[in-house]
Amino acid sequence: MENILLEYPYNNHEHIALVKLNRPKVLNALSTDLMEELVNTMLTLDKNPNVRVIILTGNERAFAAGADIAQMVTATPIDQINDQRFRTWEMLKLITKPIIAAVNGFALGGGCELAMSCDLIIAGDDAKFSQPEIKIGTIPGAGGTQRLTRAIGKSKAMMMVLTGDMIDAHTACDWGLVAKVVPAQTLMQETFELAKTISDRAPVAVRLAKEAVNKSFEMTLKDGMDFERRNFYLTFSSGDQKEGMKAFMEKRNPTYQGN
Ligand code: CO8
């Protein structure tokens, strides 16, 4: 792999993997090759029963400054279709383990969309988010008009998509795009702590909870509630639920096996 760095176990933690975008010279522009490597890495981690949480990050300067403009500058619509990039991006939805985006620097265009494809975003206080496609004559193509609107509402999404201007980390947090802002220098440490907390929780329940929250974007409230209820019932078939509730009654910490 050239464009992705994998650190697993991350910080010697057997349940946490770190995936790093690695095209620093072009601010981690998301080329087709990079996205294929990213998806393959994620699918491999998802299959590994020891991995419970995945952290996706870039570097201090950029999470990712968007899709690779050099690959698109002379593209025709048919080139875009044949490239199959959209299929690759869609495959991120298949990942069942929680993915935390740890964002320092630029998260622009496809970079912002990639962060939004993760389950939650933690931002360093120097992070900047935008959907700048309008400035180069196009529009978002991987969720920037859809996920962003659901995250921050129509009026603010319109402002971002129609101007292409950046917002800073605190604004992104106030608007609900980001879960938490931390000092840029401590981003990885804070994200690791959060990943540890999630990895201590019952893995079967974490998976079913992630699935249920994501369904809220795609279903009516009634159908979403039904889906949630079924996943709730399903947790009662897991050893983790038995262990979690028994440990509570016995006033001890649970030890989850993920079964
Ligand atoms: N693609 C390719 N190269 C890039 C990109 C990019 N998105 N962003 C930066 N680079 C390159 C620059 O060309 C430059 O390369 P070089 O050193 O060879 O000239 C290098 O990275 C460093 O960049 P700058 O010199 O421009 O650094 P600055 O600090 O001056 O500026 C900015 C930083 C503001 C981030 C600036 O680089 C910028 O505006 N970048 C482009 C941002 C952008 O428009 N992103 C949206 C791209 S379109 C998109 O994402 C559509 C997604 C659709 C989904 C597709 C799914 C299949």
Side-chain angles (χ1 to χ4, degrees):
M1 284 192 305
E2 279 177 30
N3 303 298
I4 296 291
L5 299 177
L6 171 63
E7 196 176 330
Y8 175 70
Y10 177 46
N11 286 347
N12 293 319
H13 196 297
E14 63 167 331
H15 296 317
I16 302 175
L18 177 73
V19 178
K20 208 166 173 216
L21 306 172
N22 187 40
R23 295 186 79 207
K25 287 189 185 147
V26 286
L27 306 182
N28 290 334
L30 303 168
S31 60
T32 304
D33 287 351
L34 180 149
M35 286 306 299
E36 275 173 14
E37 286 175 28
L38 175 63
V39 167
N40 289 335
T41 304
M42 292 288 185
L43 289 170
T44 304
L45 291 171
D46 208 38
K47 268 192 276 181
N48 182 334
N50 279 327
V51 175
R52 292 187 181 174
V53 181
I54 302 166
I55 300 171
L56 177 62
T57 197
N59 55 46
E60 295 76 28
R61 197 160 166 229
F63 177 75
D68 192 330
I69 299 171
Q71 282 190 332
M72 294 187 291
V73 65
T74 59
T76 66
I78 301 304
D79 293 334
Q80 295 279 14
I81 293 169
N82 288 340
D83 189 310
Q84 305 228 336
R85 279 186 303 163
F86 291 92
R87 191 174 139 269
T88 308
W89 279 70
E90 284 287 308
M91 287 171 77
L92 284 171
K93 278 204 307 208
L94 301 175
I95 307 302
T96 61
K97 313 244 164 101
I99 308 174
I100 305 174
V103 176
N104 264 336
F106 299 113
L108 314 182
C112 187
E113 291 168 316
L114 178 60
M116 289 191 289
S117 305
C118 297
D119 296 305
L120 64 107
I121 304 174
I122 305 294
D125 55 9
D126 68 349
K128 291 190 169 44
F129 297 84
S130 77
Q131 294 296 155
E133 292 88 348
I134 207 82
K135 293 183 174 177
I136 54 171
T138 183
I139 71 167
T145 65
Q146 302 301 303
R147 290 202 178 96
L148 185 68
T149 307
R150 284 165 167 79
I152 68 176
K154 174 180 162 182
S155 201
K156 293 183 173 90
M158 280 289 188
M159 193 162 71
M160 286 185 70
V161 170
L162 300 184
T163 66
D165 289 343
M166 295 183 207
I167 57 170
D168 63 24
H170 289 288
T171 306
C173 194
D174 291 347
W175 289 1
L177 178 60
V178 158
K180 190 173 172 189
V181 181
V182 300
Q185 307 87 310
T186 63
L187 175 69
M188 295 319 295
Q189 185 55 35
E190 299 248 10
T191 307
F192 179 59
E193 293 302 325
L194 176 65
K196 273 202 297 191
T197 302
I198 297 172
S199 74
D200 280 344
R201 304 299 184 237
V204 174
V206 166
R207 175 182 177 156
L208 296 176
K210 163 173 169 158
E211 205 176 65
V213 172
N214 281 331
K215 284 289 179 197
S216 74
F217 289 99
E218 287 158 17
M219 288 179 155
T220 62
L221 180 61
K222 185 186 174 308
D223 290 344
M225 295 289 287
D226 287 347
F227 187 91
E228 177 190 87
R229 191 68 41 82
R230 277 160 209 288
N231 274 8
F232 173 77
Y233 296 149
L234 193 49
T235 60
F236 283 77
S237 67
S238 70
D240 287 352
Q241 174 273 329
K242 303 284 172 280
E243 164 65 6
M245 294 195 181
K246 195 160 173 271
F248 177 84
M249 297 308 290
E250 293 169 359
K251 301 193 187 305
R252 61 172 173 83
N253 289 328
T255 307
Y256 293 119
Q257 305 298 329
N259 60 17

